[in-house]
C-alpha cells in the first residue's frame, strides 16, 4: 500500500509539473485548452495534498507509538525478528544481540503458563491481551500490559506475531506499596519508619499514630529523637551509627512510654530507588515482664525455703562424718561422703539463685576496698587445687609478685575466680593444664583463665552468659552445673565497672578474661558499700 501511494504521488507531481510548463509555454491570455490544463493541475495538487495528509498521519502515529510502547515481532518459530528502540532502552539489550533469539529470553519464569496461553491464542489466529513480565539484560523486571496479534500469510497460515507492551511497572510498585501500607496498618503493634539521614518520620501505622497521638498531616515534620520516650539515648545513637557503618543490620533496646515497658526492635531497610529507612516495631513487655517477675518470685521463694533445711542437713551430715555421733563404718562413711557432697551442691545452687535474685533487684551489697588483685588470684588458685585434683587437672599461675591495686570486693572476686577455675577443670580432659594469667594493661588489670578442653560451639558463645545456659549434654553430666555460674560472674564483674571477655574454639579450649580498672592512686581508701547497680 505504501509503495502504491509513492507511485501515485510521483505521477501527480509529474503531471502538475507538465501543466505548469504548458501554462508558461502558452502564456496569457489562456485559451480553452490552457484553461483546462490549469484546472487539471489544481485538481492534481488538491489530490496530492490529501494524499500527503493521509500518509503523514500514520507516520506521526507510528512515531508516538514507537516512543511510548515496547514492540516486538516474532517469526513462526518464535524467534525475535524485530525489536524497537523503546525495548532496547528498557531492557539494556543491543539489537544485534537480541535479534534471532527465542522470545523466551525476555520471559519471566513465573509467567510460563501465561506465555503458553499467548502461544495457543496465536496458533488459533486470535488476539491476546493481558499482564506479563519482561526480564532485562541485568535481571531487572518490567511489568507490562501486552497485546499480541497473530500475523497470517496469504494462505491464512500463521507466520509470526506482533507484540505491543505498555510499561506498567510504576503502577505495580505503587499498588504494592499501598497494599503493604494497608497491611502494616492492620498490625496491633506500633510500627513506624524513619529516614536514616534526617531521622524524620516517614510512616507510622495506625497503632503508632494512636499511641503517640501523631497527626498524619504533620508526620513528615516529626523528628524521632524528639519523641518523649525513656531509653538510653546515647546507646541507641551508637547502635544507629553502627547501622550506618554496615557493622550491624538490626538491634533492639528497652524503652518506656507512659509507664508502659516496650522492647523496640530496629532494622535497617535499603531498597533500590528508596532512601535508607529504619523500621521500628514496639513490642509491649507488660505481660512478659509480669510472667518473668512471677517466675523469679517463685524461684526465690522456693530457694529461701530450701536453704535453711539444706544447711541443717549439711551440718548434721558433717557432724556424723566427723564422728561426733559415734564411730561409723567405712561403708557408712562412703555413703555419708556422697550425701554431704550432694547437700553441699544443693546449697551452692540455692545460693546462686538467691544471688541472681539480689543482682536482678539491685540489692546485692559489695564490700569495695583498695586491694591487691594478685594476692586474691593466688588465694583462689590455692583454694581450687583440691577441686582440680578430683579431675586430674593441674593449675598453672602466671604472674609476678608486684601488687596490682584495684578496688573490689575480695569475697565476690574470689567467687568469680573460683567459678571460672572450676569450670575450666570440669571441661578439661584428664591430665590437662589450666593457665591462670594476670596481665597488666595501661588502664586495667586482666585475669585470664585458659583451658584446653571441649570448647564452646560458635553458635552458643553469644548466649553463654545467659541464665541456665549449658552447652552439651556430656559436658553437663560431667560438670553437674546449673548454668548460673557465668551469669553471676558477668553480673559481679560489671558491678565492679569491669568487663568479661570469652573466646572459644570447639574442640580446642576456652579463654575467659575478666578485666578490672586500675586504682586511680595507690592510697587505700576506707571500705565502702556499693550495690549491684554501681551506686555508692
Amino acid at each position: 500500500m505504501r509503495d502504491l501511494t509513492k507511485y501515485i504521488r510521483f505521477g501527480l507531481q509529474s503531471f502538475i509539473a507538465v501543466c505548469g510548463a504548458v501554462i508558461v509555454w502558452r502564456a496569457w491570455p489562456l485559451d480553452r485548452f490552457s484553461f483546462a490544463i490549469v484546472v487539471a493541475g489544481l485538481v492534481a495538487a488538491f489530490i496530492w495534498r490529501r494524499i500527503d495528509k493521509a500518509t503523514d498521519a500514520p507516520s506521526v502515529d507510528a512515531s508516538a507509538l514507537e516512543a511510548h510502547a515496547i514492540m516486538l515481532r516474532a517469526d513462526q518459530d518464535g524467534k525475535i525478528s524485530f525489536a524497537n528502540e523503546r525495548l532496547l532502552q528498557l531492557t539494556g539489550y543491543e539489537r544485534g544481540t537480541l535479534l534471532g533469539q527465542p522470545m523466551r529470553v525476555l520471559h519471566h519464569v513465573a509467567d510460563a503458563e501465561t506465555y503458553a496461553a499467548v502461544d495457543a491464542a496465536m496458533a488459533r489466529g486470535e488476539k491476546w491481551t493481558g499482564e506479563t513480565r519482561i526480564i532485562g539484560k541485568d535481571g531487572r523486571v518490567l511489568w507490562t500490559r501486552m497485546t499480541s496479534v497473530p500475523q497470517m500469510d496469504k494462505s491464512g497460515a500463521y507466520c509470526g506475531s506482533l507484540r505491543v507492551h505498555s510499561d506498567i511497572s510504576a503502577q505495580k510498585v505503587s499498588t504494592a506499596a499501598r497494599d503493604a501500607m494497608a497491611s502494616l496498618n492492620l498490625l496491633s503493634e506500633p510500627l513506624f519508619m524513619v529516614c536514616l539521614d534526617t531521622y524524620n518520620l516517614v510512616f507510622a501505622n495506625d497503632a503508632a499514630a494512636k499511641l503517640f497521638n501523631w497527626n498524619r498531616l504533620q508526620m513528615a515534620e516529626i523528628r524521632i529523637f524528639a519523641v518523649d520516650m525513656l531509653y538510653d539515648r546515647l546507646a541507641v545513637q551508637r547502635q544507629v551509627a553502627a547501622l550506618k557503618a554496615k557493622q550491624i543490620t538490626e538491634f533492639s533496646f528497652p524503652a518506656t512510654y507512659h509507664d508502659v515497658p516496650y522492647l523496640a526492635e530496629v532494622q535497617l531497610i535499603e531498597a533500590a530507588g528508596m532512601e535508607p529507612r529504619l523500621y521500628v516495631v514496639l513490642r509491649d513487655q507488660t505481660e512478659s515482664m509480669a510472667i518473668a517477675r512471677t517466675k523469679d518470685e517463685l524461684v526465690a521463694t522456693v530457694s529461701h525455703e530450701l536453704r535453711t533445711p539444706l544447711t541443717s542437713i549439711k551440718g548434721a551430715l558433717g557432724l556424723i562424718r566427723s564422728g561426733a555421733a559415734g564411730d561409723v563404718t567405712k561403708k557408712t562413711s562412703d555413703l555419708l561422703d556422697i550425701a554431704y557432697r550432694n547437700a553441699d551442691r544443693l546449697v551452692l545452687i540455692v545460693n546462686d539463685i538467691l544471688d541472681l535474685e539480689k543482682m536482678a533487684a539491685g540489692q546485692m551489697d559489695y564490700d569495695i576496698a583498695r586491694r591487691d588483685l594478685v594476692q586474691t588470684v593466688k588465694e583462689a588458685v590455692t583454694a581450687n587445687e583440691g577441686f582440680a585434683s578430683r579431675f586430674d587437672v593441674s593449675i598453672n599461675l602466671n604472674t609476678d609478685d608486684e601488687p596490682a591495686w584495684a578496688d573490689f570486693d575480695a569475697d565476690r572476686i574470689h567467687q568469680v575466680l573460683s567459678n571460672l577455675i572450676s569450670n575450666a577443670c570440669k571441661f578439661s580432659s584428664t591430665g590437662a593444664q589450666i593457665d591462670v594469667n594476670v596481665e597488666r594493661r595501661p588502664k586495667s588489670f586482666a585475669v585470664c583463665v585458659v583451658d584446653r578442653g571441649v570448647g564452646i560451639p560458635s553458635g552458643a558463645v553469644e548466649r553463654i552468659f545467659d541464665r541456665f545456659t549449658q552447652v552439651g549434654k556430656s559436658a553437663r553430666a560431667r560438670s553437674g552445673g546449673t548454668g548460673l555460674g557465668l551469669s553471676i560472674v558477668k553480673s559481679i564483674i560489671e558491678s565492679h565497672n569491669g568487663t568479661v571477655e570469652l573466646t572459644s574454639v570447639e574442640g580446642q579450649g576456652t579463654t575467659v578474661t575478666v578485666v578490672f580498672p586500675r586504682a586511680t592512686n595507690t592510697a587505700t581508701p576506707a571500705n565502702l558499700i556499693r550495690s549491684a547497680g554501681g551506686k555508692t
Side-chain angles (χ1 to χ4, degrees):
M1 181 65 184
R2 286 186 178 180
D3 291 340
L4 178 60
T5 302
K6 287 182 180 179
Y7 294 140
I8 293 173
R9 289 177 65 181
F10 179 75
L12 288 170
Q13 289 173 353
S14 300
F15 179 73
I16 292 169
V18 170
C19 290
V22 170
I23 292 170
V24 172
W25 176 64
R26 299 281 295 190
W28 298 91
L30 297 177
D31 55 18
R32 289 183 179 181
F33 176 76
S34 298
F35 181 76
I37 292 296
V38 170
V39 172
L42 291 173
V43 171
F46 175 75
I47 295 173
W48 180 22
R49 183 60 181 164
R50 294 301 299 268
I51 290 175
D52 271 351
K53 286 185 178 180
T55 55
D56 284 347
S59 175
V60 172
D61 292 345
S63 177
L65 184 64
E66 169 78 16
H68 170 75
I70 299 167
M71 292 190 289
L72 283 165
R73 192 183 295 276
D75 61 22
Q76 61 184 2
D77 297 323
K79 293 183 178 179
I80 300 170
S81 59
F82 168 78
N84 74 338
E85 196 65 32
R86 180 66 172 163
L87 171 72
L88 303 178
Q89 290 173 356
L90 292 177
T91 61
Y93 280 105
E94 296 178 358
R95 184 174 278 106
T97 303
L98 202 56
L99 296 183
Q101 294 293 322
M103 276 283 197
R104 63 175 177 272
V105 301
L106 299 173
H107 295 176
H108 194 288
V109 292
D111 292 342
E113 292 185 6
T114 299
Y115 282 111
V118 173
D119 292 340
M122 296 302 98
R124 295 193 301 269
E126 299 174 358
K127 181 178 71 173
W128 186 95
T129 298
E131 290 185 0
T132 60
R133 280 167 285 191
I134 291 178
I135 301 298
K137 184 178 180 180
D138 60 357
R140 77 185 76 172
V141 178
L142 299 175
W143 275 97
T144 71
R145 179 85 176 168
M146 182 185 80
T147 295
S148 184
V149 180
Q151 305 291 296
M152 303 297 180
D153 60 18
K154 293 181 179 179
S155 65
Y158 174 72
C159 63
S161 64
L162 173 66
R163 298 183 180 182
V164 180
H165 299 256
S166 295
D167 185 4
I168 60 170
S169 300
Q171 300 172 28
K172 279 287 184 181
V173 170
S174 178
T175 302
R178 286 196 302 270
D179 292 345
M181 295 302 180
S183 300
L184 293 177
N185 278 324
L186 296 176
L187 294 176
S188 60
E189 295 176 315
L191 177 147
F192 52 89
M193 305 175 197
V194 180
C195 175
L196 184 60
D197 294 327
T198 65
Y199 303 121
N200 280 20
L201 199 63
V202 176
F203 167 82
N205 69 352
D206 290 345
K210 181 179 179 181
L211 175 66
F212 296 106
N213 195 28
W214 285 334
N215 183 335
R216 290 193 180 278
L217 297 178
Q218 299 175 342
M219 280 188 184
E221 302 173 6
I222 298 173
R223 203 163 186 269
I224 198 62
F225 283 124
V227 176
D228 187 24
M229 290 188 74
L230 298 177
Y231 59 93
D232 189 337
R233 293 178 181 271
L234 290 177
V236 171
Q237 288 171 358
R238 285 195 296 269
Q239 293 284 63
V240 171
L243 280 178
K244 287 184 173 182
K246 311 294 185 184
Q247 296 172 350
I248 57 175
T249 58
E250 59 185 40
F251 68 93
S252 61
F253 63 92
T256 303
Y257 185 71
H258 288 180
D259 297 326
V260 178
Y262 291 95
L263 179 66
E265 298 178 351
V266 184
Q267 186 172 2
L268 174 63
I269 302 295
E270 296 180 287
M274 184 182 73
E275 60 187 5
R277 295 178 177 180
L278 297 178
Y279 281 57
V280 184
V281 180
L282 299 179
R283 304 194 187 279
D284 192 333
Q285 300 296 293
T286 304
E287 184 176 352
S288 59
M289 290 180 69
I291 293 172
R293 190 162 47 249
T294 300
K295 181 190 72 175
D296 291 342
E297 289 173 355
L298 175 62
V299 171
T301 300
V302 171
S303 300
H304 278 292
E305 295 298 325
L306 284 174
R307 182 157 65 174
T308 300
L310 280 174
T311 303
S312 299
I313 293 170
K314 180 183 173 183
L317 289 171
L319 289 172
I320 296 172
R321 290 174 67 213
S322 66
D327 295 336
V328 294
T329 64
K330 178 65 169 62
K331 185 175 182 180
T332 302
S333 177
D334 291 341
L335 293 173
L336 287 172
D337 287 344
I338 295 172
Y340 186 84
R341 283 197 301 273
N342 280 283
D344 188 49
R345 179 175 170 234
L346 286 173
V347 170
L348 290 175
I349 292 172
V350 169
N351 287 337
D352 282 351
I353 292 173
L354 293 176
D355 282 347
L356 281 174
E357 179 204 2
K358 289 180 180 179
M359 292 172 185
Q363 297 173 351
M364 177 69 79
D365 290 333
Y366 293 93
D367 182 13
I368 305 295
R370 185 67 45 82
R371 295 184 172 91
D372 178 12
L373 183 61
V374 171
Q375 183 60 36
T376 302
V377 172
K378 289 180 178 179
E379 292 172 358
V381 169
T382 301
N384 282 276
E385 285 178 345
F387 183 84
S389 65
R390 288 172 47 190
F391 294 89
D392 194 16
V393 172
S394 61
I395 305 174
N396 177 46
L397 175 61
N398 297 308
T399 185
D400 52 36
D401 293 329
E402 182 183 349
W405 295 107
D407 296 331
F408 59 90
D409 182 324
D411 290 338
R412 291 300 178 185
I413 296 307
H414 191 287
Q415 178 184 356
V416 164
L417 296 173
S418 293
N419 187 291
L420 297 180
I421 293 171
S422 63
N423 275 350
C425 292
K426 289 183 285 189
F427 293 102
S428 293
S429 56
T430 301
Q433 174 181 289
I434 296 166
D435 290 327
V436 179
N437 308 321
V438 179
E439 298 177 358
R440 300 173 188 272
R441 300 178 179 179
K443 295 183 179 181
S444 61
F445 298 110
V447 180
C448 306
V449 179
V450 184
D451 70 58
R452 298 163 184 81
V454 296
I456 302 170
S458 58
V461 170
E462 290 185 0
R463 56 186 175 85
I464 199 66
F465 289 101
D466 295 344
R467 293 186 182 190
F468 303 104
T469 296
Q470 292 179 318
V471 181
K473 293 182 179 179
S474 59
R476 188 183 312 128
R478 176 176 168 85
S479 68
T482 60
L484 294 172
L486 288 179
S487 178
I488 293 173
V489 166
K490 185 172 185 289
S491 182
I492 292 175
I493 294 301
E494 289 179 350
S495 296
H496 283 74
N497 297 321
T499 59
V500 183
E501 304 164 1
L502 184 145
T503 58
S504 184
V505 177
E506 190 172 9
Q508 296 184 24
T510 300
T511 298
V512 182
T513 304
V514 291
V515 181
F516 302 85
R518 282 177 177 261
T520 54
N521 55 66
T522 56
T524 304
N527 286 11
L528 57 121
I529 304 299
R530 189 162 72 190
S531 69
K535 298 177 182 178
T536 58

